[in-house]
Every structure is written in C-alpha cells, then in structure tokens.
C-alpha cells in the first residue's frame, strides 16, 4: 500500500503524520501492495463550524475508488473515525467480490452437474 499524507491550508506536523500513517497502516493488511491511499488533512476556517478538523481519504483500488471524509473537533479523532470508515468500506468491497465469486462458482458447478 502506498500512503501519502498531505495538508490543505495547514502544515502537517511530524506527530500527526506518523499518527495517521500508524492508524491507516491497518488498511495495509486488507489492501493490495499496489493500492494507493491519499489522506488530506485540513482545518475549516468557517467560525460557524465547530467540527473543523477534517480528514479526507481516497483509496484507489484495482477498478474501484473509495472515498471517506470525517470532521471532528480533534484531528486525531477525525483520523480514527476516518480509518474506521475506510476499513468498513474495504471489508464491504472484499465481501462483495467474494460473494460474486461464490455465485459464479455455484453457477458453474450447477451447470456441470446438469450436463452429466
């Protein structure tokens, strides 16, 4: 997995960068080595928005792109919730592929048994 952490309208500190890399490292077990993950951290300047610490991520998979956005009052909390969303999306994507594979296998096995 290729992980890229960047900031939008803010300088990403080393501690936040390493925290994001450590948390999003959980995705590494679920994703292919060639998958690309881009995380963008931002602070919204609108004073009427209390949850202004924003973490957005884009995951480019083979044939599919996953996106997630999370905003809270704390950047680390945003990264935590973002990671949970991405893990759920990746898990659903893998289950969807597995169920398709099972239905194709079931269909193929059903066809061969009717021919005999």
């Amino acid at each position: 997995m290729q992980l890229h952490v960047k900031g939008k309208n803010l300088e990403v500190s080393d501690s936040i960068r390493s925290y994001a890399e450590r948390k999003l490292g959980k995705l590494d077990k679920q994703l292919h080595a060639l998958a690309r993950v881009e995380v963008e951290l931002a602070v919204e300047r609108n004073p009427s928005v209390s949850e202004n610490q924003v973490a957005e991520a884009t995951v480019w998979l083979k044939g599919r792109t996953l996106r997630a956005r999370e905003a809270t009052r704390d950047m680390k909390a945003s990264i935590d919730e973002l990671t949970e969303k991405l893990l759920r999306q990746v898990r659903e994507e893998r289950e969807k592929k597995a169920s398709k594979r099972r239905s194709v296998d079931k269909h193929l096995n059903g066809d061969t048994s009717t021919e005999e």
Side-chain angles (χ1 to χ4, degrees):
M1 174 180 82
Q2 302 167 3
L3 178 63
H4 181 68
V5 180
K6 64 181 184 177
K8 181 179 177 185
N9 298 330
L10 87 129
E11 187 67 34
V12 179
S13 67
D14 290 336
S15 64
I16 292 292
R17 181 180 307 278
S18 64
Y19 184 80
E21 289 172 352
R22 188 174 71 243
K23 285 295 185 174
L24 291 163
K26 294 178 183 178
L27 289 171
D28 198 22
K29 299 172 190 170
Q30 303 288 326
L31 297 176
H32 191 270
L34 297 177
R36 196 173 89 209
V37 180
E38 186 175 286
V39 180
E40 186 173 288
L41 307 175
V43 177
E44 291 186 355
R45 305 276 186 216
N46 189 344
S48 65
V49 177
S50 64
E51 297 180 340
N52 62 347
Q53 305 288 320
V54 179
E56 296 179 344
T58 306
V59 180
W60 286 277
L61 302 172
K62 186 174 150 185
R64 183 104 163 104
T65 303
L66 306 176
R67 290 194 42 81
R69 181 181 196 275
E70 195 57 51
T72 62
R73 293 176 187 248
D74 179 39
M75 187 60 78
K76 289 185 177 182
S78 294
I79 293 169
D80 290 343
E81 293 182 24
L82 177 77
T83 302
E84 293 303 316
K85 277 187 176 181
L86 287 173
L87 284 170
R88 180 182 50 77
Q89 287 183 10
V90 168
R91 188 170 36 252
E92 287 174 356
E93 186 68 24
R94 291 185 73 169
E95 288 172 358
K96 192 186 302 184
K97 281 185 178 181
S99 68
K100 274 187 179 178
R101 240 182 277 127
R102 282 193 296 265
S103 68
V104 167
D105 289 344
K106 187 177 180 182
H107 180 70
L108 290 175
N109 289 338
D111 285 347
T112 57
S113 63
T114 57
E115 291 175 359
E116 294 176 358

